[in-house]
Amino acid sequence: MMNLSKRLQLVASFVPDNTNVIDVGCDHALLSIYLVNTLKNVKVTASDINPNPLKIAKENIKKYQLEKKIKVVLQNGIENIDEDINTIVISGMGGILISKILSNKEKLKNIKNIIVSPNNDFPLVRKTLVKLGYKIDKEQLVIDNQKTYLVLRAVLGVSPRLNYLFGTLTNKSLETICYYTNLLTTNTNILKKMPKKYFLKRLKLKHENKIIKKFLRTN
Ligand SMILES: C[S@@+](CC[C@H](N)C(=O)[O-])C[C@H]1O[C@@H](n2cnc3c(N)ncnc32)[C@H](O)[C@@H]1O
């Protein structure tokens, strides 16, 4: 069995069975391979914007003799997505790029599930998904190689009102407590150095710290 990172294992665990998935920015295609090997009934397309990672993806797919099960496609984001695909996975990219890829709204008409794992800009990704008509169904933070990643699943549907800073996370897991405690420390250090003339930025950070403290205190 292949050695998949903790982060990618969590991403894979968020992908429902009986779906037709596109793994956007597949790189080595290890996630695509893991999905077809672990789910009973899944169709997978591995896609990337760059030919070099796709070459490695094809070699890995061949190594696991999955050429008939995984389709490999060179494309930018979801530009030429097949009509029968209903699930998008995008992991290991920045939140701004993920949001930009997803904002190709007309390509989302058959998409029921979106699983994303941004490296940063978590609030922006949540806001983008909600604005596109998706509801956050499940999310979890994972620490891998000393970095914290978010893994999030959104399903088609109307979202309840959300604070995009926390989404649907609660302060019950160690990873979540660590992440927001670190954010509080980072914000406090920025505030200490930020000149008073940046009034609005200071106000925003102070407000963020106030709601983080409240989040961490909530039972
Ligand atoms: C850091 S790798 C992430 C690989 C894998 N998804 C993971 O989570 O480990 C990012 C990959 O996204 C690809 N990529 C970047 N922009 C893209 C875009 N607009 N459309 C498709 N793939 C893109 C890159 O070529 C690269 O292979």
Side-chain angles (χ1 to χ4, degrees):
M1 197 60 180
M2 70 166 53
N3 206 355
L4 201 65
S5 69
K6 226 170 122 182
R7 170 182 63 87
L8 283 177
Q9 280 186 40
L10 187 64
V11 173
S13 76
F14 276 35
V15 178
D17 204 356
N18 303 307
T19 49
N20 190 339
V21 182
I22 183 163
D23 175 10
V24 177
C26 67
D27 197 355
H28 33 60
L30 294 184
L31 176 68
S32 297
I33 293 169
Y34 188 83
L35 288 174
V36 293
N37 276 339
T38 52
L39 293 175
K40 284 199 186 87
N41 179 31
V42 74
K43 274 178 92 174
V44 177
T45 300
S47 78
D48 206 286
I49 196 171
N50 290 311
N52 287 344
L54 274 191
K55 204 171 151 244
I56 295 164
K58 279 184 187 160
E59 283 166 16
N60 283 334
I61 291 166
K62 192 170 173 206
K63 185 167 135 197
Y64 289 92
Q65 300 172 344
L66 294 170
E67 298 99 315
K68 287 195 179 133
K69 291 203 171 167
I70 302 174
K71 185 174 166 184
V72 178
V73 176
L74 178 73
Q75 71 173 313
N76 179 6
I78 50 173
E79 260 176 13
N80 299 311
I81 191 169
D82 280 352
E83 291 254 313
D84 51 355
I85 287 174
N86 57 21
T87 301
I88 293 174
V89 178
I90 314 179
S91 80
M93 294 185 206
I96 295 176
L97 180 55
I98 291 181
S99 296
K100 193 169 163 226
I101 290 173
L102 290 172
S103 297
N104 196 346
K105 200 170 176 186
E106 92 185 63
K107 302 289 177 184
L108 295 179
K109 57 180 192 291
N110 298 325
I111 303 301
K112 297 198 166 40
N113 313 291
I114 300 178
I115 295 100
V116 288
S117 179
N119 300 336
N120 49 34
D121 286 310
F122 304 159
L124 171 72
V125 175
R126 292 188 182 102
K127 190 174 177 181
T128 303
L129 286 162
V130 169
K131 286 200 159 177
L132 287 165
Y134 290 82
K135 180 173 80 172
I136 299 172
D137 171 45
K138 201 174 172 183
E139 54 183 322
Q140 194 177 325
L141 291 171
V142 58
I143 301 171
D144 199 349
N145 265 330
Q146 295 168 2
K147 202 176 168 337
T148 305
Y149 300 90
L150 176 73
V151 180
L152 183 161
R153 181 169 75 198
V155 295
L156 203 55
V158 180
S159 169
R161 257 176 79 92
L162 267 190
N163 183 321
Y164 296 124
L165 183 60
F166 310 108
T168 62
L169 291 173
T170 64
N171 68 352
K172 298 282 179 280
S173 81
L174 189 63
E175 288 82 356
T176 308
I177 294 168
C178 285
Y179 177 76
Y180 287 100
T181 306
N182 287 340
L183 187 57
L184 192 63
T185 310
T186 309
N187 283 353
T188 307
N189 290 336
I190 294 173
L191 268 168
K192 272 185 199 155
K193 288 182 193 143
M194 191 182 276
K196 297 262 186 294
K197 65 177 180 182
Y198 297 115
F199 180 74
L200 281 179
K201 278 188 187 159
R202 290 179 61 86
L203 205 65
K204 194 170 166 253
L205 281 177
K206 281 183 188 170
H207 175 69
E208 195 166 293
N209 276 358
K210 199 171 148 193
I211 58 175
I212 294 173
K213 280 182 192 158
K214 192 173 165 205
F215 174 82
L216 290 170
R217 273 199 312 266
T218 312
N219 286 312

